[in-house]
Amino acid sequence: MKSNKIADGIFQLGANINNGDLFEGLWPIPDGVSLNSYIVKGEKTALIDLVDDWDNAPNNLLNQLDQIDIELESIDYIVLNHLEPDHTGWIKGFLEKTKDVVIVTSPKGEKMLRALFSYQGEVLVVNDGDELDLGGQKLTFYHIPFVHWPETMVTFHKESGVLFSCDAFGSYGALGNEVFDDQISEEKHKFYDNESLRYYANIVAGYSLPVIKAIDKLEGLDVKVIAPSHGIIWRENPSIIIERYRKFAKYMSGEAEKEITMIVGSMYGKTKAVVSSIVKGIRSEGIPVHIFNVPEDDISFILSSAWKSKGLVIGMPTYEGKMFPPTSSVLEMFSLKHVWNKEVFRFGSYSWSGGAQRDFENKTEKLKWNCIEPLEWLGEAKEEELNSAYLQGKKLAIKVKES
Protein backbone atom coordinates (compact mmCIF):
# COMPACT_ATOMS: atom_id res chain seq x y z
CA MET A 1 0.00 0.00 0.00
CA LYS A 2 0.98 3.64 -0.40
CA SER A 3 0.48 6.56 1.95
CA ASN A 4 -2.38 8.91 1.18
CA LYS A 5 -2.69 12.62 1.87
CA ILE A 6 -5.92 13.60 3.63
CA ALA A 7 -5.21 17.29 4.26
CA ASP A 8 -2.18 19.57 4.68
CA GLY A 9 0.17 17.78 7.03
CA ILE A 10 -2.21 14.82 7.49
CA PHE A 11 -1.54 11.40 5.94
CA GLN A 12 -2.94 7.89 6.12
CA LEU A 13 -0.55 4.97 6.53
CA GLY A 14 -2.11 1.60 5.80
CA ALA A 15 -1.42 -2.10 6.09
CA ASN A 16 -3.61 -4.91 4.81
CA ILE A 17 -3.99 -8.19 6.69
CA ASN A 18 -4.59 -10.95 4.13
CA ASN A 19 -2.94 -13.99 5.68
CA GLY A 20 -6.10 -15.95 6.56
CA ASP A 21 -5.92 -15.28 10.31
CA LEU A 22 -9.08 -14.75 12.31
CA PHE A 23 -9.78 -11.23 13.53
CA GLU A 24 -9.66 -11.17 17.34
CA GLY A 25 -8.81 -14.86 17.00
CA LEU A 26 -12.50 -15.46 16.34
CA TRP A 27 -13.96 -13.78 13.25
CA PRO A 28 -13.15 -14.86 9.66
CA ILE A 29 -11.94 -12.10 7.33
CA PRO A 30 -11.93 -13.78 3.90
CA ASP A 31 -11.43 -10.39 2.23
CA GLY A 32 -8.88 -9.22 4.77
CA VAL A 33 -8.90 -6.12 6.94
CA SER A 34 -6.94 -2.88 6.88
CA LEU A 35 -4.97 -1.38 9.76
CA ASN A 36 -4.93 2.39 9.32
CA SER A 37 -2.55 4.71 11.14
CA TYR A 38 -2.31 8.46 10.62
CA ILE A 39 0.37 11.14 10.68
CA VAL A 40 -0.35 14.74 11.70
CA LYS A 41 2.66 16.98 11.12
CA GLY A 42 3.09 20.51 12.46
CA GLU A 43 6.23 21.79 14.10
CA LYS A 44 5.98 18.50 15.95
CA THR A 45 4.71 15.20 14.58
CA ALA A 46 2.08 12.84 15.96
CA LEU A 47 1.35 9.28 14.87
CA ILE A 48 -2.26 8.38 15.60
CA ASP A 49 -2.83 4.70 16.36
CA LEU A 50 -0.33 1.98 15.62
CA VAL A 51 -0.42 -1.52 14.13
CA ASP A 52 0.09 -5.01 15.45
CA ASP A 53 3.18 -7.00 14.52
CA TRP A 54 0.97 -8.90 12.12
CA ASP A 55 1.39 -9.92 8.48
CA ASN A 56 4.30 -7.49 7.88
CA ALA A 57 2.23 -4.48 9.01
CA PRO A 58 5.17 -2.68 10.76
CA ASN A 59 7.28 -2.76 7.60
CA ASN A 60 4.36 -1.38 5.61
CA LEU A 61 4.10 1.50 8.05
CA LEU A 62 7.85 2.19 7.90
CA ASN A 63 7.88 2.15 4.09
CA GLN A 64 5.02 4.64 3.96
CA LEU A 65 6.74 6.96 6.40
CA ASP A 66 9.61 7.01 3.93
CA GLN A 67 7.18 7.97 1.16
CA ILE A 68 6.25 11.16 3.02
CA ASP A 69 9.84 11.87 4.14
CA ILE A 70 9.24 11.33 7.84
CA GLU A 71 11.79 9.46 9.89
CA LEU A 72 10.50 7.27 12.67
CA GLU A 73 12.89 8.94 15.10
CA SER A 74 11.33 12.33 14.36
CA ILE A 75 7.90 11.37 15.70
CA ASP A 76 7.22 13.29 18.91
CA TYR A 77 3.89 11.78 20.00
CA ILE A 78 2.03 8.55 19.47
CA VAL A 79 -1.69 8.83 20.18
CA LEU A 80 -3.33 5.59 21.31
CA ASN A 81 -7.08 6.06 21.01
CA HIS A 82 -7.71 2.43 21.91
CA LEU A 83 -5.41 -0.15 23.50
CA GLU A 84 -6.58 -3.33 21.76
CA PRO A 85 -3.53 -5.13 20.36
CA ASP A 86 -4.43 -4.71 16.68
CA HIS A 87 -3.68 -0.99 17.30
CA THR A 88 -0.89 -1.37 19.84
CA GLY A 89 0.74 -4.78 19.40
CA TRP A 90 3.90 -3.33 17.81
CA ILE A 91 4.36 -0.74 20.56
CA LYS A 92 7.52 -2.33 22.02
CA GLY A 93 9.16 -2.61 18.61
CA PHE A 94 8.09 0.94 17.79
CA LEU A 95 9.54 2.33 21.01
CA GLU A 96 12.84 0.56 20.41
CA LYS A 97 13.20 2.51 17.14
CA THR A 98 12.14 5.95 18.42
CA LYS A 99 13.71 8.52 20.71
CA ASP A 100 11.85 10.42 23.42
CA VAL A 101 8.44 9.75 21.90
CA VAL A 102 5.55 10.58 24.24
CA ILE A 103 2.55 8.26 24.40
CA VAL A 104 -0.81 10.05 24.53
CA THR A 105 -3.86 8.22 25.81
CA SER A 106 -6.84 8.41 28.16
CA PRO A 107 -6.58 7.75 31.91
CA LYS A 108 -7.89 4.21 31.54
CA GLY A 109 -5.70 3.80 28.48
CA GLU A 110 -2.62 4.50 30.59
CA LYS A 111 -3.57 1.75 33.03
CA MET A 112 -4.09 -0.71 30.17
CA LEU A 113 -0.83 0.32 28.51
CA ARG A 114 1.15 -0.38 31.64
CA ALA A 115 -0.71 -3.65 32.30
CA LEU A 116 -0.69 -5.05 28.76
CA PHE A 117 2.86 -4.06 27.81
CA SER A 118 4.60 -3.45 31.16
CA TYR A 119 5.36 0.07 29.96
CA GLN A 120 7.21 2.20 32.50
CA GLY A 121 7.91 5.34 30.47
CA GLU A 122 6.25 8.73 30.17
CA VAL A 123 2.56 8.97 29.34
CA LEU A 124 0.63 12.13 28.54
CA VAL A 125 -2.80 11.42 29.97
CA VAL A 126 -5.55 13.46 28.30
CA ASN A 127 -8.99 14.09 29.68
CA ASP A 128 -12.15 14.66 27.69
CA GLY A 129 -11.79 17.85 25.65
CA ASP A 130 -8.05 18.28 26.21
CA GLU A 131 -5.91 19.69 23.37
CA LEU A 132 -2.42 18.94 22.13
CA ASP A 133 -0.70 21.72 20.20
CA LEU A 134 1.79 20.39 17.65
CA GLY A 135 2.69 23.86 16.43
CA GLY A 136 0.43 24.84 13.57
CA GLN A 137 -1.72 21.74 14.16
CA LYS A 138 -3.99 21.10 17.16
CA LEU A 139 -5.54 17.82 18.23
CA THR A 140 -8.53 17.57 20.58
CA PHE A 141 -9.42 14.37 22.40
CA TYR A 142 -12.93 13.17 23.19
CA HIS A 143 -13.67 10.15 25.36
CA ILE A 144 -16.20 7.65 23.99
CA PRO A 145 -16.03 4.86 26.59
CA PHE A 146 -17.16 1.35 25.63
CA VAL A 147 -16.94 1.90 21.90
CA HIS A 148 -15.94 -0.78 22.40
CA TRP A 149 -13.48 -0.83 25.34
CA PRO A 150 -13.75 1.43 28.42
CA GLU A 151 -10.62 3.48 27.60
CA THR A 152 -11.62 4.42 24.06
CA MET A 153 -11.31 7.97 22.80
CA VAL A 154 -11.25 9.71 19.41
CA THR A 155 -8.93 12.44 18.17
CA PHE A 156 -10.24 15.47 16.26
CA HIS A 157 -8.32 17.90 14.06
CA LYS A 158 -10.57 20.95 14.06
CA GLU A 159 -8.92 22.90 11.24
CA SER A 160 -9.43 20.14 8.66
CA GLY A 161 -12.44 18.50 10.31
CA VAL A 162 -10.74 15.10 10.36
CA LEU A 163 -12.00 12.74 13.07
CA PHE A 164 -9.59 9.89 13.82
CA SER A 165 -12.15 7.45 15.15
CA CYS A 166 -10.17 4.22 15.64
CA ASP A 167 -12.63 1.28 15.82
CA ALA A 168 -15.69 3.51 15.59
CA PHE A 169 -17.09 3.67 12.04
CA GLY A 170 -14.79 0.84 10.93
CA SER A 171 -15.26 -2.12 8.62
CA TYR A 172 -13.74 -5.41 7.59
CA GLY A 173 -12.17 -5.59 4.14
CA ALA A 174 -8.66 -4.89 2.90
CA LEU A 175 -8.09 -1.66 0.99
CA GLY A 176 -6.87 -1.38 -2.58
CA ASN A 177 -5.29 1.64 -4.21
CA GLU A 178 -8.50 3.58 -3.57
CA VAL A 179 -8.98 4.38 0.11
CA PHE A 180 -11.50 7.25 0.03
CA ASP A 181 -15.28 6.92 -0.25
CA ASP A 182 -15.38 9.08 -3.40
CA GLN A 183 -12.87 6.83 -5.17
CA ILE A 184 -14.56 3.45 -4.92
CA SER A 185 -17.25 1.93 -7.13
CA GLU A 186 -20.90 1.38 -6.23
CA GLU A 187 -20.20 -2.35 -6.08
CA LYS A 188 -17.36 -1.76 -3.64
CA HIS A 189 -19.59 0.49 -1.54
CA LYS A 190 -22.09 -2.38 -1.26
CA PHE A 191 -19.24 -4.63 -0.14
CA TYR A 192 -18.17 -2.21 2.60
CA ASP A 193 -21.79 -1.72 3.61
CA ASN A 194 -22.10 -5.45 4.26
CA GLU A 195 -18.69 -5.72 5.88
CA SER A 196 -19.29 -2.73 8.14
CA LEU A 197 -22.46 -4.46 9.38
CA ARG A 198 -20.62 -7.73 10.00
CA TYR A 199 -17.79 -5.84 11.72
CA TYR A 200 -20.31 -3.97 13.88
CA ALA A 201 -22.28 -7.12 14.79
CA ASN A 202 -19.12 -9.06 15.60
CA ILE A 203 -17.15 -6.38 17.44
CA VAL A 204 -19.34 -3.54 18.65
CA ALA A 205 -22.93 -4.81 18.91
CA GLY A 206 -22.95 -5.47 22.64
CA TYR A 207 -22.09 -1.80 23.21
CA SER A 208 -24.80 -0.23 21.08
CA LEU A 209 -26.06 2.12 23.79
CA PRO A 210 -22.58 3.67 24.21
CA VAL A 211 -22.35 3.91 20.41
CA ILE A 212 -25.48 6.06 20.28
CA LYS A 213 -24.17 8.20 23.16
CA ALA A 214 -20.89 8.66 21.34
CA ILE A 215 -22.57 9.67 18.07
CA ASP A 216 -24.76 12.17 19.92
CA LYS A 217 -21.70 13.56 21.70
CA LEU A 218 -19.75 14.03 18.46
CA GLU A 219 -22.64 15.67 16.62
CA GLY A 220 -21.49 19.10 17.78
CA LEU A 221 -18.19 18.76 15.91
CA ASP A 222 -17.81 19.98 12.34
CA VAL A 223 -16.67 16.59 11.04
CA LYS A 224 -15.62 16.69 7.40
CA VAL A 225 -13.65 13.43 7.27
CA ILE A 226 -14.04 10.14 9.16
CA ALA A 227 -10.67 8.38 9.36
CA PRO A 228 -11.14 4.98 11.08
CA SER A 229 -8.51 2.39 11.91
CA HIS A 230 -10.23 -0.24 9.76
CA GLY A 231 -11.83 0.37 6.38
CA ILE A 232 -12.25 3.27 3.99
CA ILE A 233 -11.80 6.96 4.78
CA TRP A 234 -14.97 9.00 4.41
CA ARG A 235 -14.15 12.45 3.01
CA GLU A 236 -16.99 13.11 0.56
CA ASN A 237 -19.92 12.14 2.75
CA PRO A 238 -18.92 11.08 6.28
CA SER A 239 -22.57 11.27 7.36
CA ILE A 240 -23.17 7.97 5.52
CA ILE A 241 -21.04 5.90 7.89
CA ILE A 242 -22.18 7.90 10.93
CA GLU A 243 -25.85 7.27 10.17
CA ARG A 244 -25.11 3.68 9.22
CA TYR A 245 -23.64 3.10 12.68
CA ARG A 246 -26.59 4.85 14.29
CA LYS A 247 -28.91 2.51 12.40
CA PHE A 248 -26.88 -0.54 13.39
CA ALA A 249 -27.01 0.53 17.04
CA LYS A 250 -30.78 0.97 16.96
CA TYR A 251 -31.24 -2.61 15.74
CA MET A 252 -30.68 -3.66 19.35
CA SER A 253 -33.75 -1.74 20.53
CA GLY A 254 -36.00 -3.40 17.94
CA GLU A 255 -35.74 -0.93 15.04
CA ALA A 256 -34.52 -3.71 12.78
CA GLU A 257 -35.18 -4.66 9.14
CA LYS A 258 -38.41 -6.42 8.26
CA GLU A 259 -36.78 -9.71 7.41
CA ILE A 260 -36.12 -13.03 9.11
CA THR A 261 -32.94 -14.97 9.82
CA MET A 262 -33.34 -18.74 10.18
CA ILE A 263 -30.72 -20.82 12.00
CA VAL A 264 -31.10 -24.58 11.64
CA GLY A 265 -29.24 -27.42 13.33
CA SER A 266 -30.26 -30.98 12.43
CA MET A 267 -28.65 -34.27 13.41
CA TYR A 268 -30.34 -36.73 11.06
CA GLY A 269 -32.53 -34.50 8.92
CA LYS A 270 -35.71 -34.82 11.00
CA THR A 271 -35.66 -31.17 12.11
CA LYS A 272 -34.54 -29.89 8.71
CA ALA A 273 -37.47 -31.66 7.05
CA VAL A 274 -39.91 -28.85 7.97
CA VAL A 275 -37.69 -25.94 6.88
CA SER A 276 -39.24 -25.71 3.44
CA SER A 277 -42.73 -25.42 4.90
CA ILE A 278 -41.67 -22.65 7.27
CA VAL A 279 -39.96 -20.75 4.48
CA LYS A 280 -43.06 -20.99 2.29
CA GLY A 281 -45.13 -19.59 5.13
CA ILE A 282 -42.74 -16.67 5.63
CA ARG A 283 -42.50 -15.88 1.93
CA SER A 284 -46.28 -15.98 1.53
CA GLU A 285 -46.24 -12.66 3.41
CA GLY A 286 -43.47 -11.20 1.28
CA ILE A 287 -40.86 -11.21 4.01
CA PRO A 288 -37.26 -12.06 3.04
CA VAL A 289 -35.65 -14.97 4.88
CA HIS A 290 -31.94 -15.78 5.23
CA ILE A 291 -31.11 -19.39 6.07
CA PHE A 292 -28.02 -20.61 7.95
CA ASN A 293 -27.03 -24.11 9.01
CA VAL A 294 -25.02 -24.94 12.12
CA PRO A 295 -22.34 -25.98 12.68
CA GLU A 296 -21.54 -25.53 8.98
CA ASP A 297 -21.99 -21.73 8.79
CA ASP A 298 -19.71 -19.47 10.80
CA ILE A 299 -21.22 -17.52 13.68
CA SER A 300 -19.73 -14.30 12.28
CA PHE A 301 -22.13 -14.32 9.31
CA ILE A 302 -25.06 -15.65 11.33
CA LEU A 303 -24.65 -12.88 13.87
CA SER A 304 -24.51 -10.20 11.18
CA SER A 305 -27.76 -11.36 9.60
CA ALA A 306 -29.54 -11.89 12.92
CA TRP A 307 -28.48 -8.46 14.19
CA LYS A 308 -30.30 -6.63 11.40
CA SER A 309 -33.33 -8.95 11.18
CA LYS A 310 -36.52 -8.23 13.11
CA GLY A 311 -37.45 -11.92 13.11
CA LEU A 312 -35.59 -15.10 14.00
CA VAL A 313 -36.41 -18.76 13.41
CA ILE A 314 -34.40 -21.18 15.54
CA GLY A 315 -34.52 -24.86 14.65
CA MET A 316 -32.79 -27.64 16.53
CA PRO A 317 -33.50 -31.16 17.83
CA THR A 318 -33.32 -32.19 21.44
CA TYR A 319 -29.88 -33.53 22.32
CA GLU A 320 -29.64 -35.42 25.62
CA GLY A 321 -32.44 -33.37 27.14
CA LYS A 322 -30.97 -30.06 25.96
CA MET A 323 -30.63 -28.04 22.77
CA PHE A 324 -28.45 -29.31 19.94
CA PRO A 325 -25.02 -27.99 21.10
CA PRO A 326 -24.07 -26.01 17.95
CA THR A 327 -27.36 -24.10 18.16
CA SER A 328 -26.90 -23.56 21.88
CA SER A 329 -23.52 -22.03 21.11
CA VAL A 330 -25.13 -19.59 18.68
CA LEU A 331 -27.61 -18.49 21.33
CA GLU A 332 -24.79 -17.93 23.83
CA MET A 333 -23.20 -15.54 21.32
CA PHE A 334 -26.56 -13.83 20.80
CA SER A 335 -26.74 -13.28 24.54
CA LEU A 336 -23.17 -11.95 24.69
CA LYS A 337 -23.78 -9.52 21.80
CA HIS A 338 -27.25 -8.40 22.99
CA VAL A 339 -29.32 -9.65 20.08
CA TRP A 340 -32.45 -8.27 21.71
CA ASN A 341 -36.05 -7.41 20.84
CA LYS A 342 -36.79 -9.99 18.16
CA GLU A 343 -39.92 -11.80 16.99
CA VAL A 344 -39.01 -15.49 17.32
CA PHE A 345 -40.24 -18.96 16.39
CA ARG A 346 -38.49 -22.12 17.59
CA PHE A 347 -39.01 -25.64 16.18
CA GLY A 348 -37.42 -29.07 16.41
CA SER A 349 -37.79 -32.84 16.66
CA TYR A 350 -36.94 -35.25 19.43
CA SER A 351 -36.38 -38.99 19.47
CA TRP A 352 -37.18 -40.26 22.96
CA SER A 353 -37.72 -37.24 25.19
CA GLY A 354 -38.04 -33.50 24.85
CA GLY A 355 -36.11 -30.85 26.72
CA ALA A 356 -34.78 -28.54 24.02
CA GLN A 357 -37.66 -26.09 24.43
CA ARG A 358 -37.13 -25.79 28.19
CA ASP A 359 -33.40 -25.26 27.61
CA PHE A 360 -34.18 -22.70 24.88
CA GLU A 361 -36.45 -20.71 27.20
CA ASN A 362 -33.85 -20.69 29.96
CA LYS A 363 -31.09 -19.53 27.64
CA THR A 364 -33.12 -16.75 26.01
CA GLU A 365 -35.18 -15.39 28.92
CA LYS A 366 -33.09 -12.19 29.15
CA LEU A 367 -33.03 -11.42 25.43
CA LYS A 368 -36.39 -9.60 25.36
CA TRP A 369 -37.68 -11.91 22.62
CA ASN A 370 -41.35 -12.16 21.72
CA CYS A 371 -41.77 -15.87 20.95
CA ILE A 372 -44.76 -17.40 19.22
CA GLU A 373 -45.82 -20.98 19.98
CA PRO A 374 -43.00 -23.46 19.34
CA LEU A 375 -43.39 -26.58 17.21
CA GLU A 376 -42.00 -29.89 18.48
CA TRP A 377 -42.68 -33.44 17.37
CA LEU A 378 -41.59 -37.02 18.04
CA GLY A 379 -39.69 -38.72 15.23
CA GLU A 380 -40.54 -37.81 11.66
CA ALA A 381 -42.67 -34.80 10.85
CA LYS A 382 -46.10 -35.79 9.55
CA GLU A 383 -48.51 -33.80 7.43
CA GLU A 384 -49.87 -32.16 10.57
CA GLU A 385 -46.41 -30.84 11.54
CA LEU A 386 -45.72 -29.63 8.01
CA ASN A 387 -48.99 -27.70 7.96
CA SER A 388 -48.25 -26.24 11.40
CA ALA A 389 -44.78 -25.25 10.26
CA TYR A 390 -46.24 -23.34 7.31
CA LEU A 391 -48.77 -21.56 9.52
CA GLN A 392 -46.19 -20.64 12.17
CA GLY A 393 -43.85 -19.29 9.50
CA LYS A 394 -46.70 -17.19 8.17
CA LYS A 395 -47.65 -16.02 11.65
CA LEU A 396 -44.09 -14.94 12.39
CA ALA A 397 -43.87 -13.08 9.09
CA ILE A 398 -47.06 -11.18 9.88
CA LYS A 399 -45.65 -10.16 13.27
CA VAL A 400 -42.44 -8.95 11.62
CA LYS A 401 -44.42 -7.05 9.01
CA GLU A 402 -46.60 -5.37 11.62
CA SER A 403 -43.81 -4.59 14.10
Side-chain angles (χ1 to χ4, degrees):
M1 293 181 69
K2 61 182 181 65
S3 62
N4 292 274
K5 182 178 179 180
I6 299 174
D8 289 342
I10 301 178
F11 302 88
Q12 177 251 8
L13 311 175
N16 283 327
I17 307 303
N18 277 311
N19 63 356
D21 283 353
L22 297 173
F23 194 76
E24 292 190 331
L26 183 61
W27 313 109
I29 42 174
D31 297 290
V33 68
S34 66
L35 303 180
N36 302 328
S37 299
Y38 299 93
I39 284 286
V40 180
K41 182 171 176 55
E43 294 175 12
K44 294 187 175 182
T45 301
L47 175 64
I48 299 177
D49 292 318
L50 196 57
V51 295
D52 196 359
D53 190 0
W54 187 18
D55 201 14
N56 205 37
N59 283 334
N60 275 281
L61 186 145
L62 293 173
N63 290 337
Q64 289 165 50
L65 283 173
D66 287 342
Q67 294 171 19
I68 57 176
D69 296 321
I70 291 179
E71 296 181 355
L72 197 66
E73 294 81 1
S74 70
I75 294 174
D76 300 285
Y77 300 96
I78 178 166
V79 177
L80 301 180
N81 284 314
H82 173 39
L83 271 291
E84 196 167 5
D86 54 325
H87 311 292
T88 58
W90 189 52
I91 190 69
K92 290 184 178 180
F94 171 82
L95 293 173
E96 288 172 359
K97 297 177 180 292
T98 55
K99 298 177 182 178
D100 302 321
V101 68
V102 176
I103 297 176
V104 183
T105 192
S106 66
K108 290 183 179 178
E110 181 195 15
K111 292 179 181 179
M112 288 188 179
L113 175 69
R114 299 197 187 282
L116 290 171
F117 303 105
S118 301
Y119 180 69
Q120 301 299 318
E122 181 182 358
V123 178
L124 175 58
V125 175
V126 290
N127 294 307
D128 190 49
D130 281 356
E131 285 188 350
L132 175 63
D133 191 344
L134 301 176
Q137 306 272 28
K138 287 185 179 180
L139 301 175
T140 309
F141 308 100
Y142 296 98
H143 293 184
I144 54 167
F146 289 104
V147 185
H148 59 115
W149 281 19
E151 87 299 358
T152 306
M153 65 181 190
V154 296
T155 302
F156 185 56
H157 185 260
K158 184 177 179 180
E159 289 76 15
S160 64
V162 179
L163 181 71
F164 303 99
S165 60
C166 201
D167 275 355
F169 311 121
S171 169
Y172 293 140
L175 296 176
N177 293 326
E178 296 78 27
V179 303
F180 296 103
D181 61 326
D182 57 338
Q183 293 178 323
I184 63 176
S185 66
E186 183 178 347
E187 179 182 3
K188 203 68 175 175
H189 266 292
K190 290 180 181 177
F191 165 80
Y192 283 115
D193 188 357
N194 291 331
E195 286 297 81
S196 62
L197 170 63
R198 190 165 70 90
Y199 173 89
Y200 184 94
N202 293 176
I203 309 299
V204 190
Y207 303 96
S208 290
L209 293 178
V211 168
I212 292 174
K213 287 182 180 178
I215 292 174
D216 290 343
K217 178 177 183 175
L218 299 173
E219 271 190 335
L221 304 180
D222 185 16
V223 176
K224 296 183 174 67
V225 179
I226 295 282
S229 287
H230 306 295
I232 61 175
I233 300 168
W234 297 82
R235 68 179 179 187
E236 182 179 58
N237 197 346
S239 64
I240 289 177
I241 191 63
I242 294 171
E243 292 310 311
R244 184 181 294 169
Y245 260 60
R246 191 193 299 275
K247 178 179 70 174
F248 293 165
K250 288 185 176 181
Y251 286 161
M252 189 180 75
S253 62
E255 297 181 38
E257 307 298 327
K258 294 185 183 298
E259 55 189 50
I260 291 171
T261 292
M262 176 183 287
I263 303 110
V264 183
S266 189
M267 294 171 65
Y268 299 108
K270 306 300 184 185
T271 294
K272 190 173 286 188
V274 307
V275 166
S276 178
S277 297
I278 297 170
V279 170
K280 288 177 182 177
I282 292 170
R283 289 178 175 163
S284 71
E285 294 296 324
I287 297 296
V289 57
H290 313 286
I291 304 171
F292 297 88
N293 295 292
V294 292
E296 294 85 354
D297 293 321
D298 194 277
I299 182 60
S300 173
F301 300 93
I302 296 171
L303 183 58
S304 177
S305 182
W307 184 257
K308 71 183 177 77
S309 296
K310 180 63 179 178
L312 299 176
V313 176
I314 314 289
M316 92 290 283
T318 294
Y319 182 88
E320 297 183 2
K322 301 284 187 179
M323 287 187 287
F324 185 49
T327 315
S328 181
S329 178
V330 168
L331 295 184
E332 287 176 6
M333 184 62 75
F334 283 3
S335 179
L336 179 66
K337 295 298 181 179
H338 297 174
V339 181
W340 293 352
N341 297 301
K342 304 294 184 182
E343 303 290 337
V344 180
F345 167 53
R346 185 257 147 184
F347 69 97
S349 63
Y350 59 93
S351 296
W352 47 273
S353 74
Q357 181 60 30
R358 180 174 59 252
D359 190 25
F360 172 82
E361 291 170 356
N362 290 337
K363 284 232 171 39
T364 61
E365 63 179 349
K366 296 182 180 179
L367 294 180
K368 307 177 185 181
W369 285 0
N370 180 28
C371 298
I372 64 173
E373 299 85 359
L375 175 63
E376 288 193 300
W377 63 94
L378 175 63
E380 288 190 345
K382 310 298 190 296
E383 192 67 28
E384 179 183 353
E385 283 79 36
L386 295 175
N387 289 336
S388 294
Y390 175 87
L391 293 174
Q392 290 301 85
K394 185 179 183 70
K395 181 176 182 179
L396 183 68
I398 291 171
K399 284 187 168 292
V400 166
K401 190 157 55 174
E402 293 177 347
S403 63

